[in-house]
Amino acid sequence: TDPVDFVLRYRRMEACIAPHKRGNYLRVVRYESLLDRGEPEMSELLDFLGVDDISKDLSRQYYDAIPNAQKHLHENVKSAGLKRERLDAWKDELEPGNIAFIRFALRKSMTQNGYGVERIRGMSPRETRRMALNLLRYFHARLRGYEPRYFDTDQRPCAG
């Protein structure tokens, strides 16, 4: 995933969600909450959704429903349960210049949600250039009023 496109989409979705946070229309669920609070968090979520009974083996059912040709893309859902080791996997899977860019561009949101936005020290010149290029692309896109593509019928993430 392109980090600039990710940040632009994230900020747009955040703007769409913001007006609904005060009412009873939206519930934000964090992966960390599911890991730390497990059953109580799921119970609260199911209550919010109005679901009374749910199968304990939904992960397996989901994996079995995936077409065989695509199962290799979804190995992470084959075994049920959340994986604490995946919590910070993005820090190992993204390059330092991309992490630095995402932390810079989303620092307010990350701070509000309890995520660290510490600076990455000792980036190579290549990674520093990557971050700078991402920043230039990001600010250029925002100045031009770039709207990322979405999958709904209006090609916008929210109406209004």
Side-chain angles (χ1 to χ4, degrees):
T1 300
D2 175 42
V4 175
D5 194 51
F6 166 76
V7 166
L8 290 166
R9 287 174 189 258
Y10 185 92
R11 289 179 58 97
R12 180 69 176 129
M13 295 311 300
E14 228 177 13
C16 291
I17 289 170
H20 305 287
K21 281 189 172 181
R22 293 188 188 140
N24 294 327
Y25 310 108
L26 176 77
R27 177 170 174 91
V28 176
V29 179
R30 297 177 63 226
Y31 191 78
E32 292 86 348
S33 299
L34 290 171
L35 283 171
D36 296 339
R37 297 189 59 239
E39 288 296 324
E41 185 73 18
M42 281 302 297
S43 179
E44 290 170 20
L45 178 59
L46 293 173
D47 286 345
F48 175 80
L49 295 171
V51 176
D52 293 326
D53 187 27
I54 192 164
S55 170
K56 294 285 186 188
D57 197 20
L58 285 180
S59 178
R60 187 76 222 159
Q61 292 173 19
Y62 172 77
Y63 184 78
D64 290 341
I66 297 170
N68 287 333
Q70 297 179 6
K71 286 192 183 206
H72 70 282
L73 300 171
H74 302 276
E75 288 295 319
N76 59 324
V77 296
K78 185 189 275 186
S79 60
L82 301 169
K83 297 172 178 68
R84 187 167 291 278
E85 65 272 9
R86 294 293 305 156
L87 187 60
D88 290 323
W90 65 276
K91 293 177 183 177
D92 296 325
E93 294 168 4
L94 293 177
E95 296 179 6
N98 290 338
I99 294 172
F101 162 70
I102 291 169
R103 284 180 173 163
F104 174 83
L106 298 178
R107 67 187 173 281
K108 181 179 178 185
S109 177
M110 290 181 77
T111 301
Q112 288 173 341
N113 288 299
Y115 298 107
V117 289
E118 65 278 356
R119 294 178 78 182
I120 297 177
R121 304 256 183 238
M123 277 196 305
S124 71
R126 179 176 173 263
E127 290 301 324
T128 302
R129 282 191 303 273
R130 181 186 312 277
M131 180 186 169
L133 179 61
N134 284 338
L135 284 170
L136 286 172
R137 290 177 49 230
Y138 171 68
F139 287 123
H140 181 258
R142 290 195 59 199
L143 286 170
R144 295 189 65 215
Y146 170 76
E147 286 287 332
R149 292 182 179 224
Y150 292 93
F151 303 105
D152 66 0
T153 54
D154 292 337
Q155 292 296 305
R156 292 188 326 244
C158 59

